[in-house]
Each structure stands twice: as structure tokens, then as C-alpha cells.
Amino acid sequence: MTAPATTDLPVVVIGAGPAGLAAAAHLEDRGLDFLVLEAGAHAGTATRDWAHVRLFSTWGEVVDPAAEKLLAPTGWTKPDPATYPTGGDWAELYLQPLADTLGDRVRFGARVAGVSRTGRDRIVDADRDAQPFVIHIEHTDGREERVFARAVIDASGTWSTPSPAGASGLAALGEKAAADRITYRVPDLKDPAVRARYTGKRTAVIGSGASAFTALAYLADLARADDGAGTKTLWILRRGISGSTFGGGEADQLPARGALGLAAKAAVDAGYADAVTGFRTEAFERDGEGRLVLVGEDDRRLDAVDEVIVLTGFRPELSFLDELRLGLDERLQAPVELAPLIDPNQHSCGTVYPHGVGELSHPEQDVYLVGMKSYGRAPTFLAMTGYEQVRSIAAHLAGDQEAAERVELSLPETGVCGGAGLFDQPETAEQPGGGCCAAPATLTIGAPASSGGC
């Protein structure tokens, strides 16, 4: 198959989630041809998986300006900017209408299985940058197809690749064999079938971030309910509990996030959850009744549990990009220019600033990882950051380098945080949602209290 001239080709966007559809909106605004490829059947496939969870950010912070401009002529009405959407709201009321507006340039059921340069594997140097990208697609009906592109924007996220329970970054021994009793998502306890799975059971929650807080609070609510007698939670942390464990509380600039930390603390204080600290999971074993016994690296063995919820973060899926020359940080798997700004080992969220095409470029020209995927294994991300990323990239691809390098986003002064939260009271719109992280003098998650980390 002979590829057409690169200048005649579209920009291919991988993923029809918040960042991918925002990229399409900015490309449309710039008059650039594009094609969005989404593996799922709908816009926001991953977002719909946590439809029951409410965002920390308000509607005013999760709608991209170029997307809103595109939607306005269709009669779309923006939800109250001061209220907090759930993942389901975000998908149904914003992402799907945006995809519908973009029409057949968004293809569903199209999984990207590989990306390369036409006629050039990653080894070949000769005339490499002049060759268009070739994208291998697998459709849900079994068809295979290849399309060509002038540039590739990978907004496929990290949702499909959760990190395992093992503290070494590998699956714990027996973790795969115990899959029938393990989930890597915050359960929807409003679903009767899911609720029955945890009601009256002893559940271990592994993790110390926002998702773990959400699970702790949900399970505590179940334990308090009339039908929840006997429900008990074991909270497993790799570190100890300190003043930094539960986040910023009432001092958090993002009220929803602060409320979530307080709810998790209340679950522990009320005895609905027992904390096990300094426990690094090495293995899962079965007892005589088929329940799971967690074994630590220090050979500690915990009392058996019925279910385990593993919430230890996510990591990027990079295998379909193997034939491209990516410049990724060896620790975070984020672009090398971006990684020092977001490395949780070195920086608090207050040191992260809006960034664009410069920080997101790779040795392979015109390929970009954006949105959650751009952060690799770093946990701190905000939708507005992704929108600024794709605005800059679209400007660069349109030849407007001045706009590409210009910062058009003002983030909360304490920086960039992200994640979905428990906050389930959108009617209290008077609570401001402008901030994100705790102020430097307040409590933080997973970092020394004096650092001001996220």
C-alpha cells in the first residue's frame, strides 16, 4: 500500500475520552483534518467505568473551551459550572454530545494495535521523518485496517492498566490466581449485585490515594446501612499513618477532595476500617474456606478476607507504540522533559506549571502522549492540564508556534492534582471548586507534611 503525501493526511487521535475529544475540538478549530479512533462503543468508555464516582472538579473546570465553542451552535446547554459531575454525567452530558458533533471523524470499536512510520521500523533512520505514520486498527467485527497520518496524538489514558498489589511493582504471588476475589476499581455499591458482594464481608483495601479513600468511605456507608451488618474493612498501607495521610481536610483548596479525606478518616475513627501500616504485599494465599490471606514481605500474615480492592495507581500501556522512538523517563514513563516537573519523589504539586508541545515532544517527531497517559505513573493530573496540552499541540501542528508556546491556562496556585472523588452533593454549588491541592502548610497525601505535596 502506497501512502499519500504527509501533507494530505489527517492527525490521528487515539482515544475518545476528555483529552482525545478536546484534541479533536482544537484541531477542528484550527482547520486541521483529523480522525479519532476509540476502542470502545461510546465516547468516554473509561469514564463510564467509574460513572458512579463524582469528580473533584466542577463542570466549569472539565469542559474544554474549544469543545464548548464547537458544541454551542448545536443547542447544547452547559451544566451549571459550579456543580460537580459524576463520571457518568461527564460522559453522557459532555463527551458523547461532543463526539456526536464531530460525526464520522470519530470511529468507535476501532482499537489501535500498532503505530509505526510507513516502511520504517524503529531501527531505520533513512528518511524517517518524511514518512507518514501508519496506524494498524483492529475492529470489533474482526476486520483489520491501516490508516495513514501526519501526526499521532495518543490520548488513550491509563485506565486499562491498573498497577498490581505487589509492592515491588509486580503482581504478588498468587494475585492472578485470586482474581475471582480481587477488583482494581472502586466498586459501585449502589448496584445490587456489587453491593451483595461486599455486604457483611471482610474486605481489604490496598492503597493510600484518592481512590482508596473513596472505597473506604463507600464501605463505611455500607457498614452503617440497615442491610450492612457485619461489613468490615481492612485498610492496607505501605507506609505509616501520619498527619499527611488523609489530605488537606477543611484547608484543601478543592473542597470535594478535602471532604473525601475527612470521610476516609471518619471511617477509621469510627471503627469501620482497621488500618494495617507498613505492609508491603508479597503473596495471596487461600485458607480452607477459599478466603484470601495476605502475606507481607516481612512474612506477616493477615487474618483472612473475603474480598480485596487493589487501588495502587495506573501505568501507561505502551506496547502498541513499540515501533516509535519515544523519549520516556525511566521512572515515571512520562516524556523526559515533563517528568522532572511531576515526579512525586522530587516535587510537590505546587511546582507543576501548565505545559505544552515543548515538554511533550519525543525523538520521533509529531507523536504526542497527552492527558493521563502523558503523566505515565505519576498520580497527579487535572483535566484542564490535558486541555492546555492539546491546545498547544494543535497550534504547533497548524504552524502557529507563538500560540503553541504561549500559556493560556491559570492553574490553582498550589498546582495540579487529579482523580475522582466521593463528593456526592452537587446541589451545594456554593462551595468553590477552583483549587486543587492542599496549601503547603496543610496535610498532604503520601509526602512529608512540610512539602506541600498533592
Side-chain angles (χ1 to χ4, degrees), residues 84-387:
Y84 296 80
T86 63
D89 294 336
W90 204 13
E92 290 290 344
L93 302 180
Y94 167 62
L95 297 177
Q96 193 62 53
L98 178 55
D100 293 343
T101 300
L102 295 169
D104 60 7
R105 288 176 295 177
V106 181
R107 296 186 188 175
F108 298 106
R111 188 182 75 87
V112 174
V115 182
S116 186
R117 290 280 188 178
T118 304
R120 307 289 190 274
D121 62 21
R122 67 184 299 159
I123 299 174
V124 179
D125 291 331
D127 201 28
R128 184 178 188 86
D129 291 342
Q131 304 305 312
F133 292 97
V134 57
I135 294 91
H136 188 99
I137 306 168
E138 295 176 350
H139 295 274
T140 51
D141 61 5
R143 291 182 300 113
E144 294 182 82
E145 178 187 9
R146 285 183 175 172
V147 299
F148 299 101
R150 59 168 290 198
V152 176
I153 299 175
D154 181 2
S156 59
T158 59
W159 183 250
S160 64
T161 47
S163 295
S168 61
L170 305 174
L173 297 173
E175 183 171 347
K176 293 181 180 179
D180 61 315
R181 291 180 180 262
I182 300 176
T183 183
Y184 298 85
R185 307 286 189 258
V186 175
D188 181 3
L189 298 183
K190 294 180 181 179
D191 181 314
V194 175
R195 189 177 185 87
R197 177 174 176 175
Y198 297 95
T199 299
K201 304 293 181 61
R202 178 176 164 87
T203 299
V205 175
I206 304 176
S208 60
S211 294
F213 287 179
T214 305
L216 291 172
Y218 281 4
L219 289 168
D221 284 345
L222 175 59
R224 294 186 191 99
D226 293 340
D227 64 342
T231 303
K232 188 69 176 179
T233 305
L234 193 67
W235 183 24
I236 299 174
L237 301 96
R238 294 171 181 171
R239 303 178 184 180
I241 291 181
S242 67
S244 67
T245 301
F246 294 101
E250 294 180 357
D252 198 319
Q253 290 191 16
L254 190 64
R257 182 175 180 269
L260 176 58
L262 292 174
K265 185 176 187 301
V268 175
D269 291 345
Y272 294 114
D274 294 330
V276 178
T277 60
F279 190 91
R280 305 177 70 82
T281 306
E282 174 67 16
F284 290 89
E285 297 180 358
R286 300 266 188 177
D287 69 3
E289 299 178 357
R291 302 169 79 205
L292 297 181
V293 176
L294 278 65
V295 182
E297 290 180 345
D298 57 2
D299 293 326
R300 273 190 291 169
R301 301 170 66 85
L302 304 182
D303 291 340
V305 297
D306 300 287
E307 300 286 343
V308 178
I309 303 173
V310 179
L311 300 168
T312 52
F314 295 86
R315 53 187 62 178
E317 167 56 51
L318 299 166
S319 61
F320 66 89
L321 303 175
D322 276 350
E323 294 306 319
L324 299 179
R325 299 175 177 181
L326 302 181
L328 298 176
D329 178 75
E330 66 274 11
R331 294 162 298 174
L332 297 184
Q333 296 178 294
V336 291
E337 295 297 324
L338 176 61
L341 308 178
I342 61 175
D343 186 350
N345 293 304
Q346 302 294 331
H347 294 281
S348 74
C349 58
T351 63
V352 180
Y353 59 87
H355 52 274
V357 68
E359 293 84 357
L360 297 170
S361 295
H362 295 273
E364 193 81 69
Q365 292 185 23
D366 290 332
V367 59
Y368 306 98
L369 276 59
V370 303
M372 282 294 301
K373 193 161 186 177
S374 71
Y375 269 42
R377 298 194 185 197
T380 56
F381 190 77
L382 188 67
M384 289 188 294
T385 300
Y387 298 160

Side-chain angles (χ1 to χ4, degrees), residues 31-101:
L32 300 177
D33 191 18
F34 63 87
L35 176 65
V36 181
L37 300 173
E38 166 58 48
H42 307 281
T45 298
T47 308
R48 293 170 190 268
D49 276 354
W50 48 272
H52 57 292
V53 180
R54 196 166 296 281
L55 278 71
F56 290 138
S57 301
T58 62
W59 271 113
E61 298 164 330
V62 297
V63 173
D64 175 77
E68 185 173 0
K69 177 182 175 182
L70 192 63
L71 283 164
T74 71
W76 178 77
T77 301
K78 182 177 181 178
D80 185 343
T83 60
Y84 296 80
T86 63
D89 294 336
W90 204 13
E92 290 290 344
L93 302 180
Y94 167 62
L95 297 177
Q96 193 62 53
L98 178 55
D100 293 343
T101 300

